[in-house]
Amino acid sequence: MKLFQFYIKTCMKKPYLIIAILSLLCITAFSQDVIRLQSCQNDLIGKQADSLKGLYSKDGFVLLKEASISMESEFEMPVIVPLTQGSWYQFVFIGDYSSRLYEVRMFDWNEKQVVFQQKKWGDVDGNVISYSYIPKFSEFHMMKPVQVNKQKKKNLCGYVMLFKKTAIDANSSVVSQR
């Protein structure tokens, strides 16, 4: 009880402490509005992902990361990944089949956009965006997939994968793939 009385007396003598404490409480209360990564289940996307995993593994790529993500229409879902200079990476985003527009932007550590791809529902592989990237520096990069769906605004399923070319095949395949 004496400890509580000490805090009260200290706060009364220094009113700025009350403001600081109240500010911290407000920040804590409002910080609950955070984007949380939630997984989703979509059989069509799962089959597409499995097919692409097999295709890229035959080309000498190793799957580093993968995640199914629940998305909202027209909202980007940031995915941050560490990349190594000179390594060959393959990024894949698979969107909900009923969406009409799919985009992926990738930024380097300095927030410079290094990749932009957009696909529409009528395209041959409309719900899949896949691109290669060889970073100039070892640093974190941010991939921001987004999809636009007029019927469903929430609970859109998306799938992201990051592959890396194995060191054995990296030198021989770079020339033939480009």
Side-chain angles (χ1 to χ4, degrees):
M1 189 65 159
K2 290 186 179 197
L3 185 61
F4 180 71
Q5 290 173 345
F6 171 76
Y7 284 127
I8 296 295
K9 286 180 184 178
T10 305
C11 288
M12 295 307 257
K13 290 178 185 176
K14 300 176 183 175
Y16 64 87
L17 286 176
I18 293 174
I19 296 170
I21 291 170
L22 289 175
S23 297
L24 285 173
L25 290 173
C26 288
I27 290 171
T28 305
F30 290 114
S31 68
Q32 300 301 319
D33 202 17
V34 176
I35 296 174
R36 301 214 188 277
L37 187 66
Q38 295 180 342
S39 64
C40 60
Q41 183 68 31
N42 183 306
D43 291 337
L44 179 60
I45 290 176
K47 289 177 184 176
Q48 287 178 301
D50 290 342
S51 175
L52 289 169
K53 286 181 211 175
L55 179 73
Y56 286 118
S57 68
K58 287 179 186 175
D59 284 342
F61 285 92
V62 175
L63 180 65
L64 296 179
K65 295 184 185 282
E66 68 178 319
S68 64
I69 50 176
S70 183
M71 302 174 70
E72 285 187 41
S73 179
E74 301 180 39
F75 283 91
E76 294 176 327
M77 179 57 72
V79 178
I80 300 171
V81 291
L83 302 181
T84 305
Q85 175 184 359
S87 295
W88 184 3
Y89 294 95
Q90 187 72 29
F91 293 88
V92 178
F93 168 67
I94 306 171
D96 193 287
Y97 189 72
S98 66
S99 293
R100 296 293 176 217
L101 180 72
Y102 312 88
E103 283 184 2
V104 175
R105 298 173 193 270
M106 190 165 81
F107 300 87
D108 65 9
W109 180 254
N110 296 319
E111 297 182 19
K112 177 184 170 199
Q113 183 173 304
V114 292
V115 172
F116 172 75
Q117 277 203 16
Q118 181 183 73
K119 296 231 177 151
K120 296 182 180 170
W121 183 80
D123 294 343
V124 173
D125 55 351
N127 72 322
V128 178
I129 293 180
S130 177
Y131 61 91
S132 292
Y133 183 73
I134 301 174
K136 295 178 183 173
F137 302 101
S138 293
E139 59 191 9
F140 284 94
H141 284 65
M142 183 182 317
M143 182 174 75
K144 293 183 175 184
V146 65
Q147 53 185 319
V148 177
N149 193 309
K150 298 297 181 188
Q151 290 86 24
K152 293 194 293 186
K153 296 296 180 186
K154 295 187 177 211
N155 297 322
L156 293 169
C157 200
Y159 204 91
V160 291
M161 293 184 283
L162 170 64
F163 296 90
K164 184 177 180 181
K165 189 74 161 178
T166 56
I168 298 168
D169 295 337
N171 294 330
S172 62
S173 298
V174 171
V175 177
S176 64
Q177 293 289 329
R178 296 219 160 220

Short mmCIF file of all heavy atoms in Angstrom, two decimals, residues 27-67:
data_model
loop_
_atom_site.label_atom_id
_atom_site.label_comp_id
_atom_site.label_asym_id
_atom_site.label_seq_id
_atom_site.Cartn_x
_atom_site.Cartn_y
_atom_site.Cartn_z
N ILE A 27 -2.10 4.53 -26.14
CA ILE A 27 -1.36 3.87 -27.22
C ILE A 27 -1.58 2.36 -27.15
O ILE A 27 -1.79 1.70 -28.16
CB ILE A 27 0.14 4.24 -27.15
CG1 ILE A 27 0.33 5.70 -27.53
CG2 ILE A 27 0.96 3.32 -28.04
CD1 ILE A 27 1.73 6.22 -27.28
N THR A 28 -1.52 1.81 -25.94
CA THR A 28 -1.73 0.38 -25.77
C THR A 28 -3.13 -0.03 -26.20
O THR A 28 -3.33 -1.05 -26.85
CB THR A 28 -1.50 -0.02 -24.30
OG1 THR A 28 -0.20 0.41 -23.92
CG2 THR A 28 -1.62 -1.51 -24.11
N ALA A 29 -4.12 0.79 -25.86
CA ALA A 29 -5.51 0.46 -26.21
C ALA A 29 -5.74 0.51 -27.71
O ALA A 29 -6.44 -0.33 -28.27
CB ALA A 29 -6.46 1.43 -25.51
N PHE A 30 -5.15 1.48 -28.40
CA PHE A 30 -5.38 1.63 -29.84
C PHE A 30 -4.45 0.76 -30.68
O PHE A 30 -4.66 0.60 -31.86
CB PHE A 30 -5.23 3.09 -30.26
CG PHE A 30 -6.35 3.96 -29.75
CD1 PHE A 30 -6.10 4.95 -28.83
CD2 PHE A 30 -7.65 3.74 -30.17
CE1 PHE A 30 -7.14 5.74 -28.35
CE2 PHE A 30 -8.69 4.52 -29.70
CZ PHE A 30 -8.43 5.52 -28.79
N SER A 31 -3.41 0.19 -30.09
CA SER A 31 -2.47 -0.63 -30.87
C SER A 31 -3.03 -2.01 -31.19
O SER A 31 -2.37 -2.80 -31.83
CB SER A 31 -1.14 -0.76 -30.13
OG SER A 31 -1.32 -1.54 -28.96
N GLN A 32 -4.24 -2.31 -30.77
CA GLN A 32 -4.84 -3.60 -31.06
C GLN A 32 -5.28 -3.71 -32.51
O GLN A 32 -5.62 -4.78 -32.97
CB GLN A 32 -6.05 -3.82 -30.14
CG GLN A 32 -5.68 -3.82 -28.67
CD GLN A 32 -4.66 -4.88 -28.31
OE1 GLN A 32 -4.72 -5.99 -28.79
NE2 GLN A 32 -3.69 -4.52 -27.49
N ASP A 33 -5.31 -2.61 -33.26
CA ASP A 33 -5.75 -2.60 -34.64
C ASP A 33 -4.57 -2.91 -35.57
O ASP A 33 -4.14 -2.08 -36.35
CB ASP A 33 -6.36 -1.24 -34.97
CG ASP A 33 -7.29 -1.31 -36.15
OD1 ASP A 33 -7.71 -2.42 -36.51
OD2 ASP A 33 -7.59 -0.24 -36.71
N VAL A 34 -4.03 -4.12 -35.47
CA VAL A 34 -2.85 -4.53 -36.19
C VAL A 34 -3.23 -5.58 -37.23
O VAL A 34 -4.11 -6.41 -36.98
CB VAL A 34 -1.80 -5.11 -35.21
CG1 VAL A 34 -0.59 -5.65 -35.94
CG2 VAL A 34 -1.39 -4.08 -34.19
N ILE A 35 -2.56 -5.54 -38.39
CA ILE A 35 -2.80 -6.57 -39.40
C ILE A 35 -2.20 -7.88 -38.89
O ILE A 35 -1.02 -7.94 -38.57
CB ILE A 35 -2.14 -6.19 -40.74
CG1 ILE A 35 -2.77 -4.93 -41.30
CG2 ILE A 35 -2.25 -7.33 -41.73
CD1 ILE A 35 -2.08 -4.42 -42.54
N ARG A 36 -3.01 -8.87 -38.80
CA ARG A 36 -2.55 -10.19 -38.35
C ARG A 36 -2.67 -11.17 -39.51
O ARG A 36 -3.70 -11.25 -40.16
CB ARG A 36 -3.38 -10.67 -37.18
CG ARG A 36 -3.32 -9.73 -36.00
CD ARG A 36 -3.39 -10.49 -34.70
NE ARG A 36 -3.52 -9.61 -33.58
CZ ARG A 36 -2.49 -9.00 -32.98
NH1 ARG A 36 -1.28 -9.17 -33.43
NH2 ARG A 36 -2.68 -8.23 -31.94
N LEU A 37 -1.61 -11.89 -39.73
CA LEU A 37 -1.59 -12.88 -40.79
C LEU A 37 -2.44 -14.08 -40.37
O LEU A 37 -2.21 -14.68 -39.33
CB LEU A 37 -0.15 -13.33 -41.06
CG LEU A 37 0.07 -14.23 -42.24
CD1 LEU A 37 -0.23 -13.48 -43.52
CD2 LEU A 37 1.50 -14.72 -42.26
N GLN A 38 -3.46 -14.38 -41.16
CA GLN A 38 -4.31 -15.52 -40.91
C GLN A 38 -4.29 -16.42 -42.14
O GLN A 38 -4.35 -15.94 -43.26
CB GLN A 38 -5.74 -15.08 -40.62
CG GLN A 38 -5.88 -14.28 -39.35
CD GLN A 38 -7.31 -13.85 -39.09
OE1 GLN A 38 -8.14 -13.85 -39.99
NE2 GLN A 38 -7.59 -13.49 -37.87
N SER A 39 -4.23 -17.71 -41.90
CA SER A 39 -4.21 -18.63 -43.03
C SER A 39 -5.64 -18.86 -43.53
O SER A 39 -6.61 -18.50 -42.89
CB SER A 39 -3.57 -19.96 -42.62
OG SER A 39 -4.34 -20.58 -41.64
N CYS A 40 -5.73 -19.44 -44.71
CA CYS A 40 -7.02 -19.75 -45.31
C CYS A 40 -6.91 -21.09 -46.03
O CYS A 40 -5.81 -21.61 -46.23
CB CYS A 40 -7.45 -18.64 -46.27
SG CYS A 40 -6.30 -18.38 -47.63
N GLN A 41 -8.04 -21.62 -46.45
CA GLN A 41 -8.07 -22.90 -47.14
C GLN A 41 -8.85 -22.77 -48.43
O GLN A 41 -10.01 -22.36 -48.42
CB GLN A 41 -8.70 -23.96 -46.24
CG GLN A 41 -8.72 -25.35 -46.82
CD GLN A 41 -7.32 -25.93 -46.94
OE1 GLN A 41 -6.44 -25.62 -46.16
NE2 GLN A 41 -7.11 -26.76 -47.93
N ASN A 42 -8.21 -23.07 -49.56
CA ASN A 42 -8.87 -23.05 -50.86
C ASN A 42 -8.27 -24.19 -51.67
O ASN A 42 -7.07 -24.18 -51.98
CB ASN A 42 -8.65 -21.69 -51.54
CG ASN A 42 -9.37 -21.57 -52.86
OD1 ASN A 42 -9.22 -22.42 -53.74
ND2 ASN A 42 -10.15 -20.52 -53.00
N ASP A 43 -9.08 -25.18 -52.02
CA ASP A 43 -8.58 -26.37 -52.70
C ASP A 43 -7.98 -26.07 -54.07
O ASP A 43 -6.96 -26.64 -54.45
CB ASP A 43 -9.69 -27.41 -52.85
CG ASP A 43 -10.10 -28.01 -51.50
OD1 ASP A 43 -9.27 -27.98 -50.56
OD2 ASP A 43 -11.24 -28.51 -51.39
N LEU A 44 -8.59 -25.16 -54.83
CA LEU A 44 -8.07 -24.81 -56.15
C LEU A 44 -6.69 -24.16 -56.03
O LEU A 44 -5.76 -24.52 -56.75
CB LEU A 44 -9.03 -23.87 -56.88
CG LEU A 44 -8.59 -23.41 -58.27
CD1 LEU A 44 -8.41 -24.61 -59.20
CD2 LEU A 44 -9.60 -22.44 -58.85
N ILE A 45 -6.55 -23.23 -55.10
CA ILE A 45 -5.25 -22.58 -54.89
C ILE A 45 -4.23 -23.60 -54.39
O ILE A 45 -3.07 -23.58 -54.80
CB ILE A 45 -5.39 -21.39 -53.92
CG1 ILE A 45 -6.17 -20.27 -54.59
CG2 ILE A 45 -4.04 -20.89 -53.46
CD1 ILE A 45 -6.45 -19.06 -53.71
N GLY A 46 -4.65 -24.51 -53.52
CA GLY A 46 -3.75 -25.55 -53.03
C GLY A 46 -3.21 -26.43 -54.16
O GLY A 46 -2.03 -26.76 -54.19
N LYS A 47 -4.09 -26.80 -55.10
CA LYS A 47 -3.65 -27.61 -56.24
C LYS A 47 -2.69 -26.82 -57.14
O LYS A 47 -1.71 -27.37 -57.64
CB LYS A 47 -4.86 -28.08 -57.05
CG LYS A 47 -5.67 -29.13 -56.33
CD LYS A 47 -6.91 -29.54 -57.11
CE LYS A 47 -7.75 -30.52 -56.31
NZ LYS A 47 -9.00 -30.86 -56.97
N GLN A 48 -2.99 -25.53 -57.36
CA GLN A 48 -2.09 -24.70 -58.16
C GLN A 48 -0.73 -24.58 -57.48
O GLN A 48 0.31 -24.67 -58.14
CB GLN A 48 -2.68 -23.31 -58.38
CG GLN A 48 -3.84 -23.27 -59.35
CD GLN A 48 -4.41 -21.86 -59.49
OE1 GLN A 48 -4.85 -21.26 -58.51
NE2 GLN A 48 -4.39 -21.35 -60.70
N ALA A 49 -0.72 -24.39 -56.16
CA ALA A 49 0.53 -24.26 -55.42
C ALA A 49 1.35 -25.55 -55.51
O ALA A 49 2.56 -25.51 -55.75
CB ALA A 49 0.25 -23.90 -53.96
N ASP A 50 0.70 -26.69 -55.33
CA ASP A 50 1.41 -27.97 -55.43
C ASP A 50 2.00 -28.17 -56.82
O ASP A 50 3.13 -28.65 -56.98
CB ASP A 50 0.47 -29.13 -55.10
CG ASP A 50 0.09 -29.16 -53.62
OD1 ASP A 50 0.80 -28.52 -52.81
OD2 ASP A 50 -0.92 -29.81 -53.29
N SER A 51 1.25 -27.79 -57.85
CA SER A 51 1.73 -27.92 -59.22
C SER A 51 2.96 -27.03 -59.45
O SER A 51 3.94 -27.47 -60.05
CB SER A 51 0.61 -27.55 -60.19
OG SER A 51 1.07 -27.55 -61.51
N LEU A 52 2.89 -25.80 -58.96
CA LEU A 52 4.03 -24.88 -59.14
C LEU A 52 5.25 -25.31 -58.34
O LEU A 52 6.39 -25.16 -58.80
CB LEU A 52 3.61 -23.46 -58.77
CG LEU A 52 2.65 -22.80 -59.76
CD1 LEU A 52 2.10 -21.52 -59.19
CD2 LEU A 52 3.34 -22.54 -61.09
N LYS A 53 5.04 -25.88 -57.16
CA LYS A 53 6.16 -26.41 -56.37
C LYS A 53 6.90 -27.49 -57.15
O LYS A 53 8.13 -27.51 -57.21
CB LYS A 53 5.67 -26.99 -55.05
CG LYS A 53 5.26 -25.96 -54.03
CD LYS A 53 4.81 -26.69 -52.76
CE LYS A 53 3.76 -25.93 -52.03
NZ LYS A 53 3.24 -26.66 -50.87
N GLY A 54 6.14 -28.40 -57.77
CA GLY A 54 6.76 -29.45 -58.57
C GLY A 54 7.50 -28.90 -59.78
O GLY A 54 8.61 -29.32 -60.10
N LEU A 55 6.90 -27.93 -60.44
CA LEU A 55 7.50 -27.31 -61.62
C LEU A 55 8.82 -26.62 -61.28
O LEU A 55 9.84 -26.83 -61.95
CB LEU A 55 6.53 -26.30 -62.23
CG LEU A 55 7.00 -25.56 -63.46
CD1 LEU A 55 7.03 -26.49 -64.67
CD2 LEU A 55 6.10 -24.36 -63.72
N TYR A 56 8.82 -25.82 -60.22
CA TYR A 56 10.04 -25.09 -59.85
C TYR A 56 11.11 -26.01 -59.26
O TYR A 56 12.30 -25.76 -59.46
CB TYR A 56 9.71 -23.94 -58.90
CG TYR A 56 9.05 -22.80 -59.61
CD1 TYR A 56 7.76 -22.39 -59.27
CD2 TYR A 56 9.69 -22.11 -60.64
CE1 TYR A 56 7.14 -21.35 -59.94
CE2 TYR A 56 9.07 -21.07 -61.32
CZ TYR A 56 7.80 -20.69 -60.96
OH TYR A 56 7.18 -19.67 -61.62
N SER A 57 10.71 -27.07 -58.57
CA SER A 57 11.72 -27.99 -58.04
C SER A 57 12.43 -28.72 -59.18
O SER A 57 13.63 -28.99 -59.10
CB SER A 57 11.11 -28.98 -57.06
OG SER A 57 10.24 -29.86 -57.72
N LYS A 58 11.71 -29.01 -60.27
CA LYS A 58 12.35 -29.63 -61.44
C LYS A 58 13.34 -28.68 -62.10
O LYS A 58 14.30 -29.12 -62.73
CB LYS A 58 11.30 -30.04 -62.47
CG LYS A 58 10.50 -31.25 -62.06
CD LYS A 58 9.46 -31.60 -63.10
CE LYS A 58 8.57 -32.72 -62.63
NZ LYS A 58 7.48 -33.01 -63.57
N ASP A 59 13.11 -27.36 -61.96
CA ASP A 59 14.02 -26.37 -62.53
C ASP A 59 15.16 -26.01 -61.58
O ASP A 59 15.91 -25.07 -61.84
CB ASP A 59 13.26 -25.09 -62.90
CG ASP A 59 12.45 -25.26 -64.17
OD1 ASP A 59 12.74 -26.19 -64.95
OD2 ASP A 59 11.54 -24.43 -64.41
N GLY A 60 15.29 -26.73 -60.46
CA GLY A 60 16.41 -26.50 -59.56
C GLY A 60 16.16 -25.47 -58.46
O GLY A 60 17.10 -24.99 -57.85
N PHE A 61 14.90 -25.15 -58.20
CA PHE A 61 14.58 -24.21 -57.13
C PHE A 61 14.18 -24.97 -55.87
O PHE A 61 13.59 -26.05 -55.94
CB PHE A 61 13.41 -23.29 -57.54
CG PHE A 61 13.79 -22.23 -58.52
CD1 PHE A 61 13.67 -22.45 -59.88
CD2 PHE A 61 14.27 -21.00 -58.09
CE1 PHE A 61 14.01 -21.47 -60.80
CE2 PHE A 61 14.61 -20.01 -58.99
CZ PHE A 61 14.49 -20.24 -60.36
N VAL A 62 14.51 -24.38 -54.74
CA VAL A 62 14.15 -24.94 -53.44
C VAL A 62 13.14 -23.99 -52.79
O VAL A 62 13.34 -22.77 -52.80
CB VAL A 62 15.40 -25.08 -52.53
CG1 VAL A 62 15.02 -25.53 -51.14
CG2 VAL A 62 16.39 -26.02 -53.15
N LEU A 63 12.07 -24.54 -52.24
CA LEU A 63 11.06 -23.73 -51.57
C LEU A 63 11.60 -23.26 -50.22
O LEU A 63 11.95 -24.06 -49.37
CB LEU A 63 9.78 -24.55 -51.37
CG LEU A 63 8.62 -23.84 -50.69
CD1 LEU A 63 8.10 -22.69 -51.57
CD2 LEU A 63 7.51 -24.82 -50.40
N LEU A 64 11.68 -21.93 -50.05
CA LEU A 64 12.16 -21.37 -48.78
C LEU A 64 11.02 -21.05 -47.83
O LEU A 64 11.08 -21.34 -46.64
CB LEU A 64 12.96 -20.08 -49.03
CG LEU A 64 14.25 -20.19 -49.82
CD1 LEU A 64 14.89 -18.83 -49.99
CD2 LEU A 64 15.21 -21.15 -49.14
N LYS A 65 9.98 -20.41 -48.34
CA LYS A 65 8.85 -20.00 -47.52
C LYS A 65 7.57 -20.11 -48.32
O LYS A 65 7.56 -19.90 -49.52
CB LYS A 65 9.00 -18.55 -47.06
CG LYS A 65 10.18 -18.31 -46.13
CD LYS A 65 10.21 -16.88 -45.65
CE LYS A 65 11.42 -16.61 -44.83
NZ LYS A 65 11.40 -17.08 -43.48
N GLU A 66 6.49 -20.42 -47.61
CA GLU A 66 5.17 -20.45 -48.24
C GLU A 66 4.14 -20.15 -47.16
O GLU A 66 4.35 -20.44 -45.99
CB GLU A 66 4.88 -21.80 -48.90
CG GLU A 66 4.73 -22.95 -47.93
CD GLU A 66 4.38 -24.24 -48.62
OE1 GLU A 66 3.57 -24.24 -49.57
OE2 GLU A 66 4.93 -25.28 -48.21
N ALA A 67 3.04 -19.53 -47.57
CA ALA A 67 1.97 -19.24 -46.62
C ALA A 67 0.67 -19.00 -47.37
O ALA A 67 0.66 -18.36 -48.42
CB ALA A 67 2.31 -18.01 -45.79
#
